[in-house]
Amino acid sequence: MSGRFLRLACTAAVTVCATLTPGPAATAVPEPGPPRDRTLSQLLTDLQRLYREAERATETYNATAEELKERRAEVARLDRALARARLSLHDSRGAAGRLARQQYQSTSTALSPYVRLLLARDPQRALDQGHVIGQVARERAETVGRLTGTERKADGLARRARTALDAQLAVAERQREERDDVRERLGAIEELLASLTAEQLTALAEFEDKGIEKAQRDLVASGALAAEDPEPSDEGGRALGYAMRQLGKPYEWGAEGPETYDCSGLTSEAWGHAGTPIPRTSQEQWAELPRIPLRDLRPGDLVIYFPEATHVAMYAGDGKVVHAPRTGEEIEISPLANNPVLGAVRPDARPDGAREDYAPAAPETSIR
């Protein structure tokens, strides 16, 4: 999420002019009229709740999309293994057929090889023949064993492939349901925005900006942030550089670039390009990456927001973050306190506490 409604105000104002007629019905101001700040506060609370629900649904969708990728990879792996097993089974059955023909030809002669062995006049030749016969018997047993084992392996792989495919289809269906949930929640946001006048949207943007400014002042005054930022690590500098190059690109839920991103799509892609792959969703990033105090933040670290860890941004230094805010907005630089902070994580933290090599900090960028 972001703390700005300016672009949304312009978009919604056009929608209002095109779809609504002027008058009381085009507003969402509660009746009777409470004080102005109370009205804006309620509107902002409603919008933030809707955006938060949409972002939570988006991160759930993203997690399911990642699971679906894994399921598809598993199905593909099992299909390849099953194809190899079936080819091996075909070869084994061919060998078994040849064995059966040889056995039939041997039993069709008047004397079996074993009888001929007993009647042989040359003892050494008899011993040589015995060795050959034993070898043939062992080869026959091995052929039968390979055939039996390959059949069991092919049957097992076929069952696992069917199970994996059923699981993939179930995850795909769940993803479709979650996609519809996101769209429904975004529709509720659009409906609320369309019910407001351009004047209300402008006032709402100003009201939200003031709230963020106050939250940022309180955060700085609390001493939660260090007076000076350390330089980023090598990986952190590359990740931040990637994120900075995406400034101005639109937010799109479920997107991982290169033209559009959602919040965790931006951070996961940035760190992936830096050579340190991290989990796809903000909840997984919070759950799996090493946590650090806000006071230890350095550029490239990730800041997680809301108790459910439904939004993530990248620390850019000087108390600011770069992030993909929400539908209708673009990747931007914002105050760190643009939303309620849950905590921070460091993707390239060393488990033994060793220090990383440092690179120059990314260039300064003003708040958009």
mmCIF file with all atom_site columns, all heavy atoms in Angstrom, residues 140-154:
data_model
loop_
_atom_site.group_PDB
_atom_site.id
_atom_site.type_symbol
_atom_site.label_atom_id
_atom_site.label_alt_id
_atom_site.label_comp_id
_atom_site.label_asym_id
_atom_site.label_entity_id
_atom_site.label_seq_id
_atom_site.pdbx_PDB_ins_code
_atom_site.Cartn_x
_atom_site.Cartn_y
_atom_site.Cartn_z
_atom_site.occupancy
_atom_site.B_iso_or_equiv
_atom_site.pdbx_formal_charge
_atom_site.auth_seq_id
_atom_site.auth_comp_id
_atom_site.auth_asym_id
_atom_site.auth_atom_id
_atom_site.pdbx_PDB_model_num
ATOM 1   N N   . ARG A 1 140 ? 19.347 -65.237 -17.353 1.00 0.00 ? 140 ARG A N   1
ATOM 2   C CA  . ARG A 1 140 ? 17.886 -65.399 -17.464 1.00 0.00 ? 140 ARG A CA  1
ATOM 3   C C   . ARG A 1 140 ? 17.195 -64.904 -16.187 1.00 0.00 ? 140 ARG A C   1
ATOM 4   O O   . ARG A 1 140 ? 16.176 -64.222 -16.236 1.00 0.00 ? 140 ARG A O   1
ATOM 5   C CB  . ARG A 1 140 ? 17.542 -66.861 -17.719 1.00 0.00 ? 140 ARG A CB  1
ATOM 6   C CG  . ARG A 1 140 ? 17.914 -67.333 -19.117 1.00 0.00 ? 140 ARG A CG  1
ATOM 7   C CD  . ARG A 1 140 ? 17.672 -68.818 -19.285 1.00 0.00 ? 140 ARG A CD  1
ATOM 8   N NE  . ARG A 1 140 ? 17.956 -69.270 -20.653 1.00 0.00 ? 140 ARG A NE  1
ATOM 9   C CZ  . ARG A 1 140 ? 17.919 -70.525 -21.041 1.00 0.00 ? 140 ARG A CZ  1
ATOM 10  N NH1 . ARG A 1 140 ? 17.636 -71.478 -20.158 1.00 0.00 ? 140 ARG A NH1 1
ATOM 11  N NH2 . ARG A 1 140 ? 18.172 -70.832 -22.303 1.00 0.00 ? 140 ARG A NH2 1
ATOM 12  N N   . ALA A 1 141 ? 17.767 -65.255 -15.047 1.00 0.00 ? 141 ALA A N   1
ATOM 13  C CA  . ALA A 1 141 ? 17.163 -64.817 -13.779 1.00 0.00 ? 141 ALA A CA  1
ATOM 14  C C   . ALA A 1 141 ? 17.208 -63.298 -13.654 1.00 0.00 ? 141 ALA A C   1
ATOM 15  O O   . ALA A 1 141 ? 16.242 -62.661 -13.203 1.00 0.00 ? 141 ALA A O   1
ATOM 16  C CB  . ALA A 1 141 ? 17.895 -65.466 -12.609 1.00 0.00 ? 141 ALA A CB  1
ATOM 17  N N   . GLU A 1 142 ? 18.342 -62.718 -14.094 1.00 0.00 ? 142 GLU A N   1
ATOM 18  C CA  . GLU A 1 142 ? 18.446 -61.261 -14.035 1.00 0.00 ? 142 GLU A CA  1
ATOM 19  C C   . GLU A 1 142 ? 17.445 -60.594 -14.970 1.00 0.00 ? 142 GLU A C   1
ATOM 20  O O   . GLU A 1 142 ? 16.861 -59.565 -14.650 1.00 0.00 ? 142 GLU A O   1
ATOM 21  C CB  . GLU A 1 142 ? 19.878 -60.842 -14.388 1.00 0.00 ? 142 GLU A CB  1
ATOM 22  C CG  . GLU A 1 142 ? 20.906 -61.211 -13.319 1.00 0.00 ? 142 GLU A CG  1
ATOM 23  C CD  . GLU A 1 142 ? 22.330 -60.940 -13.779 1.00 0.00 ? 142 GLU A CD  1
ATOM 24  O OE1 . GLU A 1 142 ? 22.492 -60.470 -14.940 1.00 0.00 ? 142 GLU A OE1 1
ATOM 25  O OE2 . GLU A 1 142 ? 23.264 -61.198 -13.000 1.00 0.00 ? 142 GLU A OE2 1
ATOM 26  N N   . THR A 1 143 ? 17.239 -61.160 -16.138 1.00 0.00 ? 143 THR A N   1
ATOM 27  C CA  . THR A 1 143 ? 16.275 -60.598 -17.088 1.00 0.00 ? 143 THR A CA  1
ATOM 28  C C   . THR A 1 143 ? 14.872 -60.600 -16.512 1.00 0.00 ? 143 THR A C   1
ATOM 29  O O   . THR A 1 143 ? 14.138 -59.613 -16.585 1.00 0.00 ? 143 THR A O   1
ATOM 30  C CB  . THR A 1 143 ? 16.309 -61.389 -18.412 1.00 0.00 ? 143 THR A CB  1
ATOM 31  O OG1 . THR A 1 143 ? 17.622 -61.286 -18.981 1.00 0.00 ? 143 THR A OG1 1
ATOM 32  C CG2 . THR A 1 143 ? 15.290 -60.850 -19.400 1.00 0.00 ? 143 THR A CG2 1
ATOM 33  N N   . VAL A 1 144 ? 14.502 -61.717 -15.923 1.00 0.00 ? 144 VAL A N   1
ATOM 34  C CA  . VAL A 1 144 ? 13.175 -61.806 -15.301 1.00 0.00 ? 144 VAL A CA  1
ATOM 35  C C   . VAL A 1 144 ? 13.054 -60.818 -14.138 1.00 0.00 ? 144 VAL A C   1
ATOM 36  O O   . VAL A 1 144 ? 12.038 -60.148 -13.964 1.00 0.00 ? 144 VAL A O   1
ATOM 37  C CB  . VAL A 1 144 ? 12.903 -63.248 -14.826 1.00 0.00 ? 144 VAL A CB  1
ATOM 38  C CG1 . VAL A 1 144 ? 11.603 -63.308 -14.030 1.00 0.00 ? 144 VAL A CG1 1
ATOM 39  C CG2 . VAL A 1 144 ? 12.836 -64.195 -16.015 1.00 0.00 ? 144 VAL A CG2 1
ATOM 40  N N   . GLY A 1 145 ? 14.142 -60.713 -13.346 1.00 0.00 ? 145 GLY A N   1
ATOM 41  C CA  . GLY A 1 145 ? 14.116 -59.781 -12.220 1.00 0.00 ? 145 GLY A CA  1
ATOM 42  C C   . GLY A 1 145 ? 13.990 -58.333 -12.678 1.00 0.00 ? 145 GLY A C   1
ATOM 43  O O   . GLY A 1 145 ? 13.241 -57.556 -12.091 1.00 0.00 ? 145 GLY A O   1
ATOM 44  N N   . ARG A 1 146 ? 14.735 -57.966 -13.746 1.00 0.00 ? 146 ARG A N   1
ATOM 45  C CA  . ARG A 1 146 ? 14.627 -56.600 -14.271 1.00 0.00 ? 146 ARG A CA  1
ATOM 46  C C   . ARG A 1 146 ? 13.227 -56.319 -14.778 1.00 0.00 ? 146 ARG A C   1
ATOM 47  O O   . ARG A 1 146 ? 12.676 -55.241 -14.562 1.00 0.00 ? 146 ARG A O   1
ATOM 48  C CB  . ARG A 1 146 ? 15.653 -56.392 -15.381 1.00 0.00 ? 146 ARG A CB  1
ATOM 49  C CG  . ARG A 1 146 ? 17.071 -56.144 -14.901 1.00 0.00 ? 146 ARG A CG  1
ATOM 50  C CD  . ARG A 1 146 ? 17.920 -55.556 -16.006 1.00 0.00 ? 146 ARG A CD  1
ATOM 51  N NE  . ARG A 1 146 ? 17.966 -56.425 -17.187 1.00 0.00 ? 146 ARG A NE  1
ATOM 52  C CZ  . ARG A 1 146 ? 18.859 -57.399 -17.360 1.00 0.00 ? 146 ARG A CZ  1
ATOM 53  N NH1 . ARG A 1 146 ? 19.768 -57.630 -16.427 1.00 0.00 ? 146 ARG A NH1 1
ATOM 54  N NH2 . ARG A 1 146 ? 18.847 -58.132 -18.464 1.00 0.00 ? 146 ARG A NH2 1
ATOM 55  N N   . LEU A 1 147 ? 12.660 -57.287 -15.457 1.00 0.00 ? 147 LEU A N   1
ATOM 56  C CA  . LEU A 1 147 ? 11.308 -57.096 -15.983 1.00 0.00 ? 147 LEU A CA  1
ATOM 57  C C   . LEU A 1 147 ? 10.315 -56.877 -14.854 1.00 0.00 ? 147 LEU A C   1
ATOM 58  O O   . LEU A 1 147 ? 9.507  -55.935 -14.886 1.00 0.00 ? 147 LEU A O   1
ATOM 59  C CB  . LEU A 1 147 ? 10.900 -58.318 -16.812 1.00 0.00 ? 147 LEU A CB  1
ATOM 60  C CG  . LEU A 1 147 ? 9.443  -58.313 -17.336 1.00 0.00 ? 147 LEU A CG  1
ATOM 61  C CD1 . LEU A 1 147 ? 9.215  -57.124 -18.241 1.00 0.00 ? 147 LEU A CD1 1
ATOM 62  C CD2 . LEU A 1 147 ? 9.131  -59.613 -18.063 1.00 0.00 ? 147 LEU A CD2 1
ATOM 63  N N   . THR A 1 148 ? 10.401 -57.706 -13.829 1.00 0.00 ? 148 THR A N   1
ATOM 64  C CA  . THR A 1 148 ? 9.480  -57.571 -12.693 1.00 0.00 ? 148 THR A CA  1
ATOM 65  C C   . THR A 1 148 ? 9.679  -56.234 -11.982 1.00 0.00 ? 148 THR A C   1
ATOM 66  O O   . THR A 1 148 ? 8.716  -55.525 -11.670 1.00 0.00 ? 148 THR A O   1
ATOM 67  C CB  . THR A 1 148 ? 9.684  -58.723 -11.707 1.00 0.00 ? 148 THR A CB  1
ATOM 68  O OG1 . THR A 1 148 ? 9.505  -59.966 -12.393 1.00 0.00 ? 148 THR A OG1 1
ATOM 69  C CG2 . THR A 1 148 ? 8.693  -58.636 -10.560 1.00 0.00 ? 148 THR A CG2 1
ATOM 70  N N   . GLY A 1 149 ? 10.953 -55.878 -11.727 1.00 0.00 ? 149 GLY A N   1
ATOM 71  C CA  . GLY A 1 149 ? 11.235 -54.615 -11.041 1.00 0.00 ? 149 GLY A CA  1
ATOM 72  C C   . GLY A 1 149 ? 10.817 -53.405 -11.849 1.00 0.00 ? 149 GLY A C   1
ATOM 73  O O   . GLY A 1 149 ? 10.264 -52.439 -11.304 1.00 0.00 ? 149 GLY A O   1
ATOM 74  N N   . THR A 1 150 ? 11.029 -53.452 -13.169 1.00 0.00 ? 150 THR A N   1
ATOM 75  C CA  . THR A 1 150 ? 10.644 -52.320 -14.018 1.00 0.00 ? 150 THR A CA  1
ATOM 76  C C   . THR A 1 150 ? 9.135  -52.174 -14.076 1.00 0.00 ? 150 THR A C   1
ATOM 77  O O   . THR A 1 150 ? 8.612  -51.063 -14.095 1.00 0.00 ? 150 THR A O   1
ATOM 78  C CB  . THR A 1 150 ? 11.219 -52.511 -15.436 1.00 0.00 ? 150 THR A CB  1
ATOM 79  O OG1 . THR A 1 150 ? 12.630 -52.679 -15.354 1.00 0.00 ? 150 THR A OG1 1
ATOM 80  C CG2 . THR A 1 150 ? 10.916 -51.292 -16.299 1.00 0.00 ? 150 THR A CG2 1
ATOM 81  N N   . GLU A 1 151 ? 8.431  -53.293 -14.114 1.00 0.00 ? 151 GLU A N   1
ATOM 82  C CA  . GLU A 1 151 ? 6.972  -53.221 -14.110 1.00 0.00 ? 151 GLU A CA  1
ATOM 83  C C   . GLU A 1 151 ? 6.458  -52.573 -12.831 1.00 0.00 ? 151 GLU A C   1
ATOM 84  O O   . GLU A 1 151 ? 5.560  -51.720 -12.866 1.00 0.00 ? 151 GLU A O   1
ATOM 85  C CB  . GLU A 1 151 ? 6.389  -54.635 -14.264 1.00 0.00 ? 151 GLU A CB  1
ATOM 86  C CG  . GLU A 1 151 ? 6.508  -55.186 -15.678 1.00 0.00 ? 151 GLU A CG  1
ATOM 87  C CD  . GLU A 1 151 ? 5.965  -56.592 -15.781 1.00 0.00 ? 151 GLU A CD  1
ATOM 88  O OE1 . GLU A 1 151 ? 5.929  -57.296 -14.735 1.00 0.00 ? 151 GLU A OE1 1
ATOM 89  O OE2 . GLU A 1 151 ? 5.582  -56.997 -16.892 1.00 0.00 ? 151 GLU A OE2 1
ATOM 90  N N   . ARG A 1 152 ? 7.032  -52.974 -11.687 1.00 0.00 ? 152 ARG A N   1
ATOM 91  C CA  . ARG A 1 152 ? 6.613  -52.381 -10.411 1.00 0.00 ? 152 ARG A CA  1
ATOM 92  C C   . ARG A 1 152 ? 6.930  -50.882 -10.383 1.00 0.00 ? 152 ARG A C   1
ATOM 93  O O   . ARG A 1 152 ? 6.122  -50.066 -9.926  1.00 0.00 ? 152 ARG A O   1
ATOM 94  C CB  . ARG A 1 152 ? 7.298  -53.090 -9.239  1.00 0.00 ? 152 ARG A CB  1
ATOM 95  C CG  . ARG A 1 152 ? 6.725  -54.447 -8.917  1.00 0.00 ? 152 ARG A CG  1
ATOM 96  C CD  . ARG A 1 152 ? 7.122  -54.869 -7.506  1.00 0.00 ? 152 ARG A CD  1
ATOM 97  N NE  . ARG A 1 152 ? 8.568  -55.010 -7.405  1.00 0.00 ? 152 ARG A NE  1
ATOM 98  C CZ  . ARG A 1 152 ? 9.223  -56.161 -7.563  1.00 0.00 ? 152 ARG A CZ  1
ATOM 99  N NH1 . ARG A 1 152 ? 8.560  -57.273 -7.832  1.00 0.00 ? 152 ARG A NH1 1
ATOM 100 N NH2 . ARG A 1 152 ? 10.539 -56.201 -7.449  1.00 0.00 ? 152 ARG A NH2 1
ATOM 101 N N   . LYS A 1 153 ? 8.130  -50.501 -10.871 1.00 0.00 ? 153 LYS A N   1
ATOM 102 C CA  . LYS A 1 153 ? 8.517  -49.090 -10.883 1.00 0.00 ? 153 LYS A CA  1
ATOM 103 C C   . LYS A 1 153 ? 7.593  -48.273 -11.780 1.00 0.00 ? 153 LYS A C   1
ATOM 104 O O   . LYS A 1 153 ? 7.150  -47.186 -11.397 1.00 0.00 ? 153 LYS A O   1
ATOM 105 C CB  . LYS A 1 153 ? 9.962  -48.956 -11.362 1.00 0.00 ? 153 LYS A CB  1
ATOM 106 C CG  . LYS A 1 153 ? 10.464 -47.525 -11.378 1.00 0.00 ? 153 LYS A CG  1
ATOM 107 C CD  . LYS A 1 153 ? 11.915 -47.460 -11.826 1.00 0.00 ? 153 LYS A CD  1
ATOM 108 C CE  . LYS A 1 153 ? 12.411 -46.009 -11.844 1.00 0.00 ? 153 LYS A CE  1
ATOM 109 N NZ  . LYS A 1 153 ? 13.834 -45.931 -12.288 1.00 0.00 ? 153 LYS A NZ  1
ATOM 110 N N   . ALA A 1 154 ? 7.280  -48.805 -12.959 1.00 0.00 ? 154 ALA A N   1
ATOM 111 C CA  . ALA A 1 154 ? 6.392  -48.083 -13.881 1.00 0.00 ? 154 ALA A CA  1
ATOM 112 C C   . ALA A 1 154 ? 5.001  -47.925 -13.285 1.00 0.00 ? 154 ALA A C   1
ATOM 113 O O   . ALA A 1 154 ? 4.390  -46.857 -13.389 1.00 0.00 ? 154 ALA A O   1
ATOM 114 C CB  . ALA A 1 154 ? 6.328  -48.806 -15.219 1.00 0.00 ? 154 ALA A CB  1
#
